[in-house]
């Protein structure tokens, strides 16, 4: 008997599922487009349902939709038969998952959709099944070989359902023009929330911003710099535009007995890097750390190049960016 090699087994599983995904990609057509258009125009929610492994996939699809701008939730078909059907309204749609299309627990849900005219979207490998025939929209899943061989445990089939659910959620997202800012509304916490935070969410604004006139004596600039504790001061021209910046490094380069008496414009670094409040904080971090001249502070300016905030590297690290 040949020695078993887990790596060979793993590669076979992945290749089998990859082949199934290729079949799925080639099957996307007009029915998928019609399904997306129907859901996009709805005012209600997408109720995802399934039993067993299909139920786990249905839960994930509902969660992905809900976080990307398509109101959705999961209902267990058995619970639906015991009262939860009342949660489904005429403006909703049902997305039912079943590889065979003959999952008996879906029977009451199918009948409810027929009775009240609730659109039924089926995700199944069997178009001529009970679920397939009852569906208003059939999202056919290729009946590809399961990756586990003789046991036929759901592997390839659940992967294809998961991928098709992702495709549906993303197509709806793009149809609606759902943006990163919208996405962050549903993901305020964790690394994902940090990655989607805008500069405006993180920056310091108002009186916290260290600013002085470029004509002010360095004695005044040093007081402002010390009071605001950012290690820098933004210098303004007579129109309020950001003309330059003075940092700790500038002070060291110009250190001398006459430093405090000199005007700020003789000490400042002109045309400093700036950012915009609507930009992603992650992009601001890349701007601050790119290349050899890394900076720890970034002034945020408006369309007129007037300062509206300041961003410190520590602020970005504090919200979880790195």
């Amino acid at each position: 008997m040949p020695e078993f090699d887990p790596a060979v087994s793993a590669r076979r599983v992945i290749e089998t599922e990859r082949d199934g995904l290729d079949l799925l990609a080639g099957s996307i057509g007009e029915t998928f487009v019609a399904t997306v258009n129907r859901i996009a125009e709805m005012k209600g929610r997408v109720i995802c349902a399934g039993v067993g492994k299909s139920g786990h996939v249905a839960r994930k699809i509902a969660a992905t939709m809900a976080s990307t701008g398509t109101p959705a939730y999961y209902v267990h078909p058995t619970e639906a038969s015991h009262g939860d059907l009342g949660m489904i309204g005429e403006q909703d749609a049902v997305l039912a998952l079943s590889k065979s299309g003959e999952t008996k627990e879906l029977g009451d849900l199918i009948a409810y959709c027929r009775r009240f005219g609730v659109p039924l979207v089926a995700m199944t490998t069997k178009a001529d099944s009970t679920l397939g025939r009852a569906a208003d929209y059939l999202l056919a899943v290729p009946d590809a070989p399961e990756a586990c061989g003789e046991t036929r445990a759901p592997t390839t089939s659940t992967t294809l359902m998961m991928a098709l659910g992702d495709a549906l959620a993303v197509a709806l997202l793009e149809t609606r023009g759902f943006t990163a800012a919208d996405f962050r509304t549903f993901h305020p916490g964790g690394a994902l929330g940090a990655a989607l935070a805008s500069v405006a969410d993180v920056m310091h604004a108002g009186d916290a911003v260290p600013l002085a006139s470029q004509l002010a004596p360095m004695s005044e600039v040093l007081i402002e710099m010390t009071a605001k504790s950012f290690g820098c001061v933004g210098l303004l021209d007579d129109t309020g535009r950001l003309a330059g910046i003075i940092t700790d490094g500038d002070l060291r380069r110009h250190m001398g007995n006459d430093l405090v008496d000199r005007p700020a414009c003789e000490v400042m670094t002109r045309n400093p890097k700036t950012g915009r409040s609507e930009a992603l904080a992650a992009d601001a971090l890349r701007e601050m750390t790119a290349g050899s001249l890394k900076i720890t502070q970034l002034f945020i300016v408006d369309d007129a190049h007037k300062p509206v905030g300041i961003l410190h590297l520590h602020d970005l690290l504090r919200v979880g960016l790195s």
Side-chain angles (χ1 to χ4, degrees):
M1 182 175 181
E3 184 179 352
F4 171 68
D5 187 342
V8 171
S9 174
R11 283 191 289 270
R12 187 191 68 248
V13 169
I14 293 170
E15 289 167 0
T16 300
E17 296 194 358
R18 179 199 61 198
D19 292 344
L21 287 169
D22 287 340
L23 290 173
L24 177 63
S27 71
I28 301 297
E30 293 181 1
T31 302
F32 181 86
V33 174
T35 303
V36 171
N37 290 338
R38 180 66 179 88
I39 294 175
E41 69 184 16
M42 287 180 1
K43 295 182 179 179
R45 299 156 295 181
V46 178
I47 291 82
C48 301
V51 176
K53 305 298 187 296
S54 295
H56 293 306
V57 176
R59 289 179 189 273
K60 192 273 179 186
I61 293 173
T64 300
M65 285 186 172
S67 68
T68 53
T70 300
Y73 63 88
Y74 171 79
V75 171
H76 193 287
T78 301
E79 296 297 330
S81 297
H82 291 272
D84 282 359
L85 285 173
M87 299 168 64
I88 304 172
E90 294 181 359
Q91 294 184 324
D92 297 332
V94 170
L95 172 61
L97 283 66
S98 170
K99 178 183 177 182
S100 68
E102 299 295 346
T103 304
K104 60 183 179 180
E105 291 89 345
L106 289 171
D108 290 338
L109 194 57
I110 293 171
Y112 183 89
C113 290
R114 285 175 172 170
R115 179 180 178 185
F116 292 100
V118 176
L120 176 62
V121 181
M123 193 179 290
T124 179
T125 63
K126 307 295 183 183
D128 60 349
S129 63
T130 300
L131 176 60
R133 292 193 302 272
D136 299 293
Y137 302 91
L138 175 63
L139 297 180
V141 178
D143 194 7
E146 299 289 8
C148 59
E150 293 180 359
T151 64
R152 301 192 68 193
T155 46
T156 304
S157 59
T158 49
T159 296
L160 300 188
M161 286 182 175
M162 189 84 75
L164 189 53
D166 285 344
L168 188 59
V170 172
L172 287 164
L173 176 156
E174 294 178 354
T175 297
R176 291 190 169 99
F178 198 76
T179 67
D182 298 320
F183 193 58
R184 186 177 182 269
T185 301
F186 303 109
H187 294 82
L192 185 55
L196 295 171
S198 70
V199 168
D201 296 324
V202 184
M203 72 182 189
H204 302 266
D207 292 338
V209 184
L211 297 171
S213 167
Q214 65 176 343
L215 301 178
M218 283 300 298
S219 56
E220 293 182 11
V221 172
L222 288 170
I223 292 173
E224 176 74 358
M225 191 171 180
T226 302
K228 300 297 174 66
S229 301
F230 285 100
C232 69
V233 174
L235 285 309
L236 308 178
D237 64 16
D238 56 4
T239 67
R241 291 165 55 88
L242 184 68
I245 182 175
I246 291 178
T247 67
D248 291 331
D250 294 310
L251 295 181
R252 288 191 293 271
R253 285 188 290 272
H254 292 85
M255 188 63 66
N257 293 332
D258 65 340
L259 176 62
V260 296
D261 298 321
R262 296 171 66 181
C265 57
E266 292 183 4
V267 180
M268 72 182 186
T269 296
R270 299 179 182 275
N271 302 315
K273 284 185 177 181
T274 59
R276 302 300 297 268
S277 61
E278 65 270 20
L280 290 177
D283 290 338
L285 176 62
R286 283 190 287 271
E287 177 71 15
M288 295 169 74
T289 58
S292 58
L293 297 176
K294 297 176 174 56
I295 58 175
T296 56
Q297 312 96 345
L298 185 70
F299 277 93
I300 310 304
V301 298
D302 60 15
D303 290 338
H305 206 66
K306 295 182 178 181
V308 295
I310 186 172
L311 191 62
H312 196 282
L313 185 63
H314 291 165
D315 299 320
L316 300 171
L317 298 178
R318 173 175 48 80
V319 298
L321 289 171
S322 60

